[in-house]
């Protein structure tokens, strides 16, 4: 039995892919692929993180996991649950498909990756890892938007970048070489498939087409009957991000060490703030970020894409070289405040 474990990265349409797989579980089953239930009420197989990470995630406590010993017991339960689903398929499947971006965002170092390798190798004869890499300037901009949307911080974008570049834990998946070395060591370089999350690099210029090109080993079936999930993870506009940054002291995610009930009540309104104009980096911001990763990205290119011209992520041609981050008019501030309250 073969397993393909898609590990993200975050902000590379992982939620869209997971929702589409779950909504088309019957279609996949008809082509020999099982997208299993993994003991969580979510199509993201985050339970793999709970079972294999070398620490206790705050979300794992919702499943009664308070210690590493209990995490290993949960892993045994999860393994049995997965085996049961494979057995119930009665030989109709040849591949299990797993997906969780938390395996790159949160698994936290080589021991967690090795724990996952051990978990999978006990069940499957063949293990394949799939990961999508996003250029670091886009990834940081996207994650900054997530921080503002969720109320995790009130930093300016430049301060956010400074902290992220100096801290491999804050946004770990921008450190492509570091993460890939962990996975190569535990699974072997030949078992790790790396794709570039860029429309021009994707098969058919489409993430779903590219994803199934990997899953079906370059020979995907007719996808005309496939129901695509809505891609509803669109980021907020640049003025909306600045509004949330300035409002952070009053509606932060945490309050006195606990989730802020006020933020929770307002989250639905926050989600419907405008999405245009899109946030945009300046040429200087983009070049600064990409220069930080130039040598590491060159390692990725020579290791996984030796026939691809350097650099791994070419400079962007921008019609407007300026940024629109950190800008909001009084009128926009009043409009967003009314939207939150009415």
């Amino acid at each position: 039995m073969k397993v393909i474990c898609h590990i993200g990265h975050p902000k590379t349409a992982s939620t869209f892919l997971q929702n589409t797989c779950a909504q088309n579980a019957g279609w996949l089953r008809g082509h020999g692929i099982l997208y299993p239930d993994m003991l969580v009420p979510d199509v993201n197989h985050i339970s793999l993180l709970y079972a294999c990470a070398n620490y206790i995630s705050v979300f794992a406590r919702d499943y009664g996991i308070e210690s590493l010993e209990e995490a290993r017991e949960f892993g045994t339960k999860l393994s049995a649950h997965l085996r049961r689903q494979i057995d119930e398929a009665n030989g109709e499947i040849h591949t299990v498909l797993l997906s969780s971006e938390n395996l790159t965002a949160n698994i936290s170092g080589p021991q967690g990756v090795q724990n996952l390798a051990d978990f999978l190798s006990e069940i499957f004869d063949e293990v394949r890892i799939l990961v999508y890499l996003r250029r670091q300037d886009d990834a940081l901009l996207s994650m900054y938007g997530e921080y503002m949307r969720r109320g995790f911080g009130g930093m300016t974008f430049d301060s956010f970048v400074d902290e992220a570049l100096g801290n491999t834990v804050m946004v770990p998946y921008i450190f492509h070489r570091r993460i890939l070395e962990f996975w190569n060591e535990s699974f072997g370089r030949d078992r790790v498939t790396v794709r570039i999350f860029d429309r021009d690099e994707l098969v058919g210029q489409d993430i779903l087409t590219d994803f199934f090109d990997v899953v079906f080993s370059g020979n995907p079936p007719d996808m005309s009957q496939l129901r695509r999930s809505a891609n509803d993870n669109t980021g907020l506009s640049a003025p909306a991000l600045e509004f949330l940054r300035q409002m952070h002291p009053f509606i932060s995610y945490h309050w006195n060490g606990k989730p802020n009930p006020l933020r929770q009540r307002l989250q639905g309104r926050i989600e419907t703030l405008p999405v245009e104009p899109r946030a945009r980096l300046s040429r200087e911001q983009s070049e600064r970020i990409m220069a930080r990763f130039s040598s590491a990205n060159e390692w990725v290119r020579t290791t996984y894409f030796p026939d691809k011209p350097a650099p791994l992520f070419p400079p962007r041609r921008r019609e407007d070289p300026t940024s629109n981050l950190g800008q909001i008019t009084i009128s926009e501030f009043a409009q967003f405040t009314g939207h939150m309250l009415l």
Side-chain angles (χ1 to χ4, degrees):
M1 183 66 63
K2 175 182 178 181
V3 63
I4 298 173
C5 187
H6 167 234
I7 61 173
H9 290 343
K11 301 303 178 182
T12 59
S14 297
T15 301
F16 163 71
L17 294 173
Q18 291 156 5
N19 284 332
T20 298
C21 287
Q23 291 172 14
N24 293 274
W27 182 89
L28 285 169
R29 184 79 164 262
H31 291 92
I33 308 288
L34 173 66
Y35 194 75
D37 160 60
M38 294 292 280
L39 294 178
V40 290
D42 196 331
V43 295
N44 174 356
H45 295 146
I46 193 173
S47 52
L48 291 167
L49 171 70
Y50 304 157
C52 299
N54 206 35
Y55 70 100
I56 304 303
S57 162
V58 62
F59 301 110
R61 292 187 168 88
D62 293 338
Y63 296 86
I65 303 170
E66 299 285 349
S67 67
L68 290 179
E69 181 180 355
E70 289 175 333
R72 302 302 165 248
E73 292 173 355
F74 178 78
T76 300
K77 179 181 177 181
L78 183 63
S79 176
H81 182 67
L82 180 55
R83 290 173 191 270
R84 190 177 306 115
Q85 293 174 83
I86 294 171
D87 291 342
E88 289 172 354
N90 293 320
E92 297 175 359
I93 64 168
H94 51 73
T95 301
V96 171
L97 178 58
L98 302 172
S99 177
S100 179
E101 64 274 25
N102 301 91
L103 296 176
T104 45
N106 307 112
I107 205 164
S108 188
Q111 186 58 59
V113 176
Q114 185 58 53
N115 290 343
L116 178 66
D118 295 340
F119 177 91
L120 295 177
S121 64
E122 290 180 358
I123 305 172
F124 300 100
D125 304 311
E126 181 181 353
V127 179
R128 298 286 175 179
I129 302 299
L130 170 61
V131 61
Y132 284 88
L133 304 185
R134 187 173 185 177
R135 51 184 298 140
Q136 286 92 347
D137 53 354
D138 283 353
L140 281 170
L141 178 58
S142 183
M143 184 48 67
Y144 179 72
E146 186 73 3
Y147 263 60
M148 296 304 106
R149 186 178 69 83
R150 298 288 298 275
F152 291 160
M155 293 178 283
T156 64
F157 178 74
D158 288 332
S159 296
F160 177 83
V161 169
D162 287 340
E163 187 163 339
L165 295 184
N167 180 355
T168 59
V169 175
M170 181 178 172
V171 189
Y173 52 87
I174 59 174
F175 297 91
H176 298 332
R177 175 174 180 172
R178 179 176 182 270
I179 285 182
L180 287 172
E181 285 179 333
F182 294 159
W183 292 85
N184 287 352
E185 181 177 352
S186 292
F187 289 90
R189 157 68 186 86
D190 292 341
R191 293 183 178 182
V192 179
T193 297
V194 177
R195 308 290 265 215
I196 301 298
F197 185 72
D198 184 289
R199 183 180 298 275
D200 293 336
E201 302 280 352
L202 300 172
V203 173
Q205 296 188 315
D206 174 68
I207 183 62
L208 189 61
T209 303
D210 192 274
F211 182 72
F212 283 129
D213 182 73
V214 176
V215 171
F216 289 99
S217 303
N219 188 30
D222 177 19
M223 295 170 54
S224 61
Q225 300 302 312
L226 203 66
R227 293 177 294 116
R228 287 174 173 257
S229 169
N231 194 356
D232 56 359
N233 200 15
T234 304
L236 299 177
S237 70
L241 297 183
E242 179 60 14
F243 171 76
L244 294 174
R245 187 190 72 80
Q246 294 191 33
M247 290 295 291
H248 176 264
F250 311 101
I251 53 171
S252 62
Y253 179 81
H254 286 104
W255 191 262
N256 293 328
K258 298 180 180 179
N260 184 354
L262 176 59
R263 181 80 189 200
Q264 294 173 333
R265 290 200 298 271
L266 291 173
Q267 193 61 41
R269 305 299 291 173
I270 291 172
E271 299 291 347
T272 54
L273 285 168
V275 299
E276 297 287 346
R278 309 295 299 154
R280 182 183 69 247
L281 299 186
S282 69
R283 181 179 294 124
E284 181 181 359
Q285 287 171 320
S286 178
E287 290 176 350
R288 174 197 169 208
I289 293 167
M290 298 312 293
R292 166 66 173 76
F293 295 100
S294 59
S295 61
N297 286 346
E298 178 60 13
W299 176 90
V300 174
R301 187 191 69 82
T302 57
T303 302
Y304 289 94
F305 306 97
D307 297 329
K308 178 179 172 61
L312 179 67
F313 300 111
R316 287 272 176 79
R317 294 182 180 180
R318 300 179 183 273
E319 294 182 5
D320 189 339
T322 64
S323 173
N324 61 357
L325 291 169
Q327 302 173 27
I328 186 170
T329 66
I330 294 176
S331 176
E332 287 170 329
F333 205 101
Q335 175 190 347
F336 297 159
T337 301
H339 176 84
M340 298 282 280
L341 297 177
L342 298 178

